[in-house]
Amino acid sequence: GFVPIDPKLPLHTFWDLGVSDYTSIWFVQAYGKEIRCVNYYQDNNEGMAHYINYVRKFCKEHNVTNGDNYGPHDIEVTEFGTGKSRKATALEMGFTFITVPRVQKLQDGIEAARNIFSRCWFDETRCEHGVNALASYRREYDDKLDTYKDKPVHDWASHPADAFRQMAQAWNDRLTQT
């Protein structure tokens, strides 16, 4: 249904980075035990400035303060062209990221995401694509072995699911304490 954006609560973002693949961002407000997913955005073939400007514009349009921004472990990868990490590039634009450490087992991150679903509220309009992606995220079936493979299918649903997983991994301690 409709999930309002509360101007009294900070708006946190959770990212999965891509260049030729999609960069995906979930916009979230936490209220008590509720996780309010108020917006989802994705695009591709854009630089960091595009996404930062989108976040800033969204915050301004909705009269909300940008809270913490969480990026995956690869936000610290150094780019060949600039010699800087994506995190450093964002910092030069006045935008800070908290790096979400890489999980040892992808399945642990997926399980963390499953564990928070009961606390999530999704705006049906602004999060429609992201919700559809979460519903479509799946493992591939191996017909020869008659079982599921260990890793999920890498398709259009992967990036929104990975950005959502960043939230579950980053807030794991915070979410279990409230």
Side-chain angles (χ1 to χ4, degrees):
F2 173 70
V3 179
I5 299 169
D6 188 337
K8 292 179 262 163
L9 298 175
L11 185 73
H12 307 288
T13 63
F14 298 89
W15 300 50
D16 182 59
L17 302 175
V19 178
S20 58
D21 276 342
Y22 283 93
T23 291
S24 299
I25 309 169
W26 284 97
F27 294 67
V28 176
Q29 292 186 305
Y31 182 75
K33 292 186 177 193
E34 290 180 10
I35 301 168
R36 299 175 181 175
C37 300
V38 297
N39 191 45
Y40 172 79
Y41 179 72
Q42 74 174 27
D43 206 341
N44 68 338
N45 296 318
E46 296 289 348
M48 184 64 77
H50 168 81
Y51 301 103
I52 290 172
N53 288 335
Y54 182 91
V55 171
R56 287 179 172 154
K57 182 179 175 189
F58 187 88
C59 288
K60 186 176 182 179
E61 286 175 357
H62 296 280
N63 192 31
V64 66
T65 303
N66 182 216
D68 295 325
N69 305 290
Y70 294 86
H73 66 92
D74 58 350
I75 198 160
E76 296 192 10
V77 170
T78 302
E79 302 287 344
F80 287 122
T82 63
K84 298 178 197 171
S85 70
R86 296 165 183 171
K87 188 174 184 176
T89 299
L91 187 57
E92 287 177 357
M93 293 181 231
F95 198 84
T96 59
F97 276 99
I98 298 168
T99 304
V100 179
R102 186 177 205 155
V103 290
Q104 296 296 319
K105 296 178 185 174
L106 178 60
Q107 192 58 40
D108 291 343
I110 292 170
E111 198 57 38
R114 284 182 180 144
N115 289 337
I116 65 167
F117 270 116
S118 64
R119 298 174 62 183
C120 292
W121 294 84
F122 296 92
D123 184 87
E124 68 181 333
T125 302
R126 292 186 303 263
C127 296
E128 181 178 14
H129 184 79
V131 169
N132 289 339
L134 293 176
S136 297
Y137 189 64
R138 69 204 182 287
R139 291 186 294 169
E140 189 173 355
Y141 192 75
D142 187 330
D143 292 322
K144 291 179 183 177
L145 297 176
D146 196 31
T147 188
Y148 286 97
K149 294 182 179 181
D150 288 340
K151 293 188 178 181
V153 174
H154 184 77
D155 63 6
W156 70 275
S158 301
H159 301 289
D162 287 349
F164 188 83
R165 183 171 45 83
Q166 298 307 314
M167 176 178 54
Q169 291 170 201
W171 278 5
N172 188 38
D173 292 337
R174 176 182 180 171
L175 296 173
T176 55
Q177 293 172 3
T178 57

